[in-house]
């Protein structure tokens, strides 16, 4: 069908023509982005993934060709052979890279017609998201999506190149496997050959990468799809992509250096230079300073201001004297109206007995000296918003199993409530404080997490990470006697309030792995039936090892300045876990179900 090209090769993409190409005969192939009919002249912008070039059909020059050009409609696929010509100075378009030239057409082929599409790639206003996802192939033709998908490619390539140069092998692991405990529900695949049995799609390649260490591949990575059936949010997808890696004989610092190295390469591929090494912060400090384990360092930290109050002030305000009083400061917010102040209260999610004082002016009016001390200690200027979070007078004393921790559960409740409000206020007043600048990337490592969390409902300790995470050597003896105080050799890498990834040094001894399963309330039998193969593998000479996994989609989303993962995943799912383009999931035929030995209950 492209016989007409003869020996002429496609040497130019539509977005590549420049003034220096003037005089050249060339061919452009692409979509009709726009057609303007000026009577004896027809202008057609031809588009491909590199951009657009204006093509001119002149009646005077070639009447038959001009007539054919009248047939062109948006999104027709065409080939135009012609000569590149400089535009007159007054018609140069400075807004596009090809704006100095145009192609004067000598020949036109309509390679394919197009129905009038529900929306056009060149539309200035965006179609609603359902339409965009249903007609994803049209949506992907838009400049912004072409940019995002190219960015994703470049970022992934830079990471692969970096890791390969560091001696990592990319090794595939199965998608049809068994459950991996990352804390979500599994997607299951029924087996036809063994009716009544199921594969699980991996929530991560965790056990396989550890087995690859046992198998002697001491530096592994994989840019890999993971599957988790959980409630979706803007930054979650049922299938998502991780940059997964594992090393033998690492100290945590070796893992961190590797991640800092590939992130540097990835950000550079997107045109940004980042500074390494990243800041490192203990979990306890992150909680005390930011009230959260994924601090956004662009906003001021919390300030502990209890010592600014006299015991009398605290009593009058019904504030607990033994618990922290923290000030949230959001710079440059200015005077708030009554309504704006009232709007803060519903934003506050009180944990434990935490209370909010959203009207700092009232506190200041009542206790001017105290107010001045709070302003001074938190470094607040006259325009800064201050909100206080404290414990209510009756909260505090408790005999919680985690009471001995550096940050007690009652303190944690206050810090965590303040931390969430700080983030919410930071977002709400972003335009006022102006601290969320594009390209301002504040990375950090959060380390030394507690090994276990106490489940208040079930009254038992649960793993804070997956159960292959190693405790600190010094804490091994507390596994059974004092689980609250056991720290994990786990770490998260955080960027601007988003957790990009998490990892850990692993347990490499079978006896300790058993102990951890036991401490998590798993019986010997359960451990054996779920992870017997792994416990056995650990007995055949397992090197110490550790690793991490980072979300590729999130990294690209941040680099693209996008609001949702769907903007950087070519074929994403909706919040209801649907693919609107192919219309999945769907019911299957009775025959398929019978083959699988499955009966579906009618609702
Ligand atoms: N498997 C973990 C996850 O997916 C990461 C790791 O520990 O390497 O979050």
């Amino acid at each position: 069908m492209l016989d007409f090209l003869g020996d002429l090769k496609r040497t130019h993409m539509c977005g590549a023509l420049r003034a220096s190409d003037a005089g050249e005969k060339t061919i452009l192939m692409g979509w009709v982005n726009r057609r303007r009919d000026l009577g004896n002249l027809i202008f057609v912008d031809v588009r491909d993934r590199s951009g657009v070039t204006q093509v001119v059909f002149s009646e005077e020059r070639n009447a038959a060709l001009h007539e054919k050009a009248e047939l062109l409609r948006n999104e027709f696929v065409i080939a135009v052979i012609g000569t590149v010509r400089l535009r007159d100075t007054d018609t140069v378009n400075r807004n596009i890279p090809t704006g100095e030239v145009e192609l004067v057409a000598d020949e036109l082929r309509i390679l394919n017609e197009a129905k009038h599409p529900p929306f056009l790639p060149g539309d200035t206003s965006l179609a609603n998201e359902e339409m965009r996802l249903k007609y994803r192939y049209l949506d992907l033709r838009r400049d912004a999506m072409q940019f995002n998908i190219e960015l994703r490619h470049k970022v992934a390539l830079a990471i692969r190149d970096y890791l390969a140069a560091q001696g990592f092998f990319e090794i595939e692991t199965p998608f049809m496997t068994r459950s991996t405990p990352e804390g979500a529900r599994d997607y299951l695949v029924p087996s036809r050959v063994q009716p009544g049995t199921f594969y699980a799609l991996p929530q991560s390649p965790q056990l396989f990468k550890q087995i690859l260490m046992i198998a002697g591949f001491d530096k592994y990575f994989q840019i890999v799809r993971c599957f988790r059936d959980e409630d979706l949010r803007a930054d979650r997808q049922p299938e998502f992509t991780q940059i997964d890696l594992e090393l033998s004989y690492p100290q945590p610092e070796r893992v961190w250096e590797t991640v800092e190295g590939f992130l540097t390469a990835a950000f550079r591929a997107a045109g940004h230079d980042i500074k390494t090494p990243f800041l490192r912060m203990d979990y306890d400090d992150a909680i005390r300073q930011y009230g959260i384990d994924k601090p956004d360092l662009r906003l001021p930290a919390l300030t502990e201001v209890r010592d600014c109050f006299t015991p009398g002030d605290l009593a009058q305000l019904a504030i607990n004297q033994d618990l922290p009083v923290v000030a949230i400061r959001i710079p440059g917010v200015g005077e708030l109206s009554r309504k704006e102040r009232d709007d803060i209260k519903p934003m506050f999610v009180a944990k434990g007995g935490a209370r909010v004082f959203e009207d700092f002016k009232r506190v200041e009016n009542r206790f001017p000296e105290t107010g001045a001390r709070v302003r001074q200690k938190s470094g607040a200027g006259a325009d800064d918003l201050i909100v206080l979070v404290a414990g209510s007078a009756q909260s505090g004393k408790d005999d919680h199993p985690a009471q001995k921790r550096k940050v007690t559960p009652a303190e944690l409740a206050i810090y965590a409530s303040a931390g969430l409000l700080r983030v919410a206020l930071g977002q709400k007043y972003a335009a006022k404080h102006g601290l969320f600048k594009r390209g301002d990337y504040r990375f950090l490592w959060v380390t030394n997490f507690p090994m276990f969390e106490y489940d208040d409902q079930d009254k038992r300790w649960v793993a804070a990470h997956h159960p292959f995470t190693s405790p600190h050597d010094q804490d091994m003896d507390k596994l059974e006697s004092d689980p609250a105080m056991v720290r994990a050799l786990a770490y998260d890498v955080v960027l601007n309030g988003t957790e990009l990834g998490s990892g850990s040094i692993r347990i490499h001894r079978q006896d300790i792995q058993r102990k951890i399963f036991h401490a998590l309330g798993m019986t010997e039998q359960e451990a054996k039936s779920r992870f017997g193969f792994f416990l056995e593998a650990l007995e055949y000479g397992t090197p110490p090892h550790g690793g991490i996994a980072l979300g590729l989609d999130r990294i690209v989303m941040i680099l693209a300045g996008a609001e949702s993962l769907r903007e950087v995943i070519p074929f994403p799912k909706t919040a209801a876990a649907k693919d609107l383009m192919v219309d999945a999931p769907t019911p299957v035929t009775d025959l398929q179900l019978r083959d699988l030995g499955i009966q579906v209950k009618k609702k």
Side-chain angles (χ1 to χ4, degrees):
M1 105 161 284
L2 295 174
D3 288 352
F4 68 94
L5 287 176
D7 282 341
L8 197 60
K9 291 207 185 92
R10 185 166 68 136
T11 46
H12 288 99
M13 297 289 281
C14 295
L17 290 180
R18 298 290 180 270
S20 56
D21 296 312
E24 265 198 60
K25 189 171 169 91
T26 190
I27 175 157
L28 294 184
M29 289 193 258
W31 286 267
V32 172
N33 199 48
R34 200 156 79 105
R35 189 190 61 139
R36 273 157 301 145
D37 205 332
L38 306 186
N40 56 351
L41 286 180
I42 295 176
F43 293 100
V44 172
D45 289 344
V46 189
R47 182 194 77 238
D48 62 21
R49 71 174 210 213
S50 67
V52 293
T53 284
Q54 171 168 295
V55 178
V56 197
F57 296 90
S58 146
E59 189 171 19
E60 207 176 290
R61 192 181 159 102
N62 187 335
L65 187 67
H66 177 269
E67 200 175 314
K68 197 169 176 190
E70 283 178 349
L71 301 173
L72 295 180
R73 296 290 175 272
N74 283 326
E75 301 309 299
F76 276 28
V77 184
I78 60 171
V80 193
I81 298 175
T83 310
V84 184
R85 172 173 84 186
L86 288 178
R87 293 199 205 180
D88 295 338
T89 10
D90 53 335
T91 59
V92 165
N93 180 353
R94 300 260 163 238
N95 298 325
I96 53 170
T98 60
E100 281 182 290
V101 293
E102 58 196 1
L103 189 74
V104 184
D106 292 321
E107 209 179 324
L108 166 68
R109 297 285 163 129
I110 298 179
L111 303 180
N112 212 345
E113 300 188 352
K115 281 207 319 197
H116 187 68
F119 58 89
L120 288 173
D123 282 350
T124 36
S125 66
L126 211 51
N128 75 42
E129 202 179 19
E130 255 177 55
M131 284 300 259
R132 290 180 56 204
L133 292 175
K134 181 162 159 57
Y135 296 97
R136 190 59 159 178
Y137 40 90
L138 297 177
D139 186 48
L140 286 170
R141 286 183 195 167
R142 291 191 306 113
D143 283 351
M145 293 307 284
Q146 298 258 317
F147 175 87
N148 288 358
I149 301 303
E150 182 179 356
L151 178 67
R152 186 179 175 111
H153 158 74
K154 285 186 185 157
V155 166
L157 189 64
I159 294 171
R160 278 207 167 87
D161 282 348
Y162 177 85
L163 290 173
Q166 297 292 313
F168 284 79
F169 290 172
E170 183 161 25
I171 307 177
E172 287 167 285
T173 51
F175 278 176
M176 288 161 63
T177 179
R178 54 186 296 159
S179 189
T180 36
E182 298 283 359
R185 264 189 221 101
D186 289 323
Y187 279 102
L188 298 175
V189 180
S191 160
R192 180 183 58 81
V193 186
Q194 275 112 76
T197 62
F198 295 81
Y199 303 94
L201 301 182
Q203 293 187 32
S204 83
Q206 185 62 34
L207 286 170
F208 283 100
K209 67 174 170 174
Q210 292 193 235
I211 285 182
L212 284 170
M213 296 303 108
I214 303 177
F217 296 99
D218 68 349
K219 285 177 166 180
Y220 143 94
F221 86 100
Q222 190 180 188
I223 298 189
V224 63
R225 203 66 62 79
C226 302
F227 307 86
R228 297 184 191 176
D229 185 0
E230 52 195 348
D231 295 331
L232 304 175
R233 299 191 304 242
D235 61 350
R236 286 229 176 116
Q237 280 279 310
E239 48 180 318
F240 60 95
T241 306
Q242 279 191 347
I243 306 147
D244 191 47
L245 64 87
E246 196 77 8
L247 288 90
S248 288
Y249 316 108
Q251 291 152 300
E253 288 77 3
R254 299 293 86 74
V255 180
W256 303 347
E257 281 161 12
T258 305
V259 171
E260 288 169 2
F262 81 62
L263 284 176
T264 303
F267 276 65
R268 192 169 298 140
H272 298 282
D273 282 319
I274 59 175
K275 275 201 224 66
T276 60
F278 302 161
L279 186 75
R280 293 163 193 182
M281 191 180 288
D282 268 8
Y283 165 83
D284 286 335
D285 292 328
I287 295 297
R288 271 194 289 241
Q289 292 174 39
Y290 298 94
I292 198 160
D293 59 3
K294 43 179 182 176
D296 188 337
L297 303 178
R298 295 170 302 176
L299 293 169
L302 303 171
T303 314
E304 158 61 82
V305 293
R306 188 180 51 195
D307 58 359
C308 300
F309 289 77
T310 65
D313 301 342
L314 293 174
Q316 283 188 58
L317 289 165
I319 288 178
N320 190 302
Q321 318 253 353
D322 303 319
L323 290 176
V325 179
V326 289
I328 302 167
R329 174 168 78 86
I330 309 290
V333 172
E335 194 73 33
L336 288 189
S337 68
R338 179 68 206 257
K339 152 121 189 26
E340 285 169 322
R341 269 200 312 270
D342 289 348
D343 286 345
I344 295 179
K345 206 154 207 150
M347 292 165 73
F348 183 68
V349 185
K351 312 221 174 238
R355 295 178 55 195
V356 64
F357 294 86
E358 73 282 2
D359 193 348
F360 183 65
K361 283 256 148 64
R362 281 243 299 272
V363 178
E364 257 179 333
N365 288 343
R366 244 172 108 188
F367 309 101
E369 282 171 25
T370 303
R373 283 195 292 270
V374 169
R375 274 194 183 277
Q376 210 209 357
K377 188 162 183 197
S378 59
D383 262 356
D384 294 0
L385 171 68
I386 298 263
V387 173
L388 300 177
V389 177
S392 47
Q394 63 278 25
S395 69
K397 297 270 175 288
D398 70 30
D399 50 1
H400 193 278
Q403 191 60 23
K404 273 193 351 219
R405 280 195 180 158
K406 261 203 211 154
V407 180
T408 66
E411 289 169 348
L412 180 64
I414 292 171
Y415 289 126
S417 313
L420 288 177
L421 184 59
R422 170 180 171 273
V423 170
L425 289 170
Q427 271 155 7
K428 176 157 184 185
Y429 291 112
K432 292 204 171 161
H433 60 66
L435 294 170
F436 293 164
K437 291 189 203 69
R438 203 60 210 276
D440 181 11
Y441 297 121
R442 310 281 187 97
F443 290 92
L444 80 153
W445 289 103
V446 180
T447 66
N448 290 325
F449 287 86
M451 179 84 185
F452 302 105
E453 299 292 0
Y454 194 72
D455 183 328
D456 286 313
Q457 249 159 26
D458 287 357
K459 304 244 173 296
R460 66 185 185 96
W461 292 100
V462 292
H465 311 271
H466 58 63
F468 312 105
T469 302
S470 175
H472 271 253
D473 281 346
Q474 309 90 298
D475 298 344
M476 287 290 183
D477 55 339
K478 302 186 204 123
L479 275 179
E480 315 239 308
S481 59
D482 198 359
M485 301 310 282
V486 180
R487 289 161 306 156
L489 278 172
Y491 32 80
D492 281 0
V493 57
V494 175
L495 168 59
N496 295 352
T498 299
E499 181 206 305
L500 289 186
S502 68
S504 57
I505 299 300
R506 325 295 183 186
I507 298 161
H508 65 279
R509 279 178 33 195
Q510 201 255 17
D511 53 337
I512 296 172
Q513 186 64 70
R514 269 173 198 273
K515 258 195 188 171
I516 297 287
F517 285 151
H518 182 73
L520 293 172
M522 237 184 266
T523 64
E524 188 87 351
Q525 201 44 44
E526 249 177 293
K528 216 165 149 197
S529 82
R530 285 185 70 189
F531 304 116
F533 71 99
F534 183 64
L535 286 170
E536 186 176 9
L538 285 176
E539 289 187 295
Y540 286 99
T542 301
H545 59 281
I548 192 162
L550 278 74
L552 177 68
D553 313 287
R554 279 193 197 179
I555 294 172
V556 180
M557 175 174 110
I558 291 171
L559 284 172
E563 297 284 316
S564 147
L565 291 178
R566 294 188 290 275
E567 299 297 318
V568 297
I569 297 178
F571 301 105
K573 308 239 175 344
T574 63
K578 280 192 180 163
D579 181 329
L580 296 181
M581 186 182 75
V582 304
D583 187 21
T586 51
V588 295
T589 63
D590 287 343
L591 193 65
Q592 283 172 302
L593 287 176
R594 200 173 339 127
D595 270 352
L596 295 167
I598 288 179
Q599 227 181 355
V600 177
K601 263 202 201 157
K602 300 266 177 293
K603 281 216 174 134

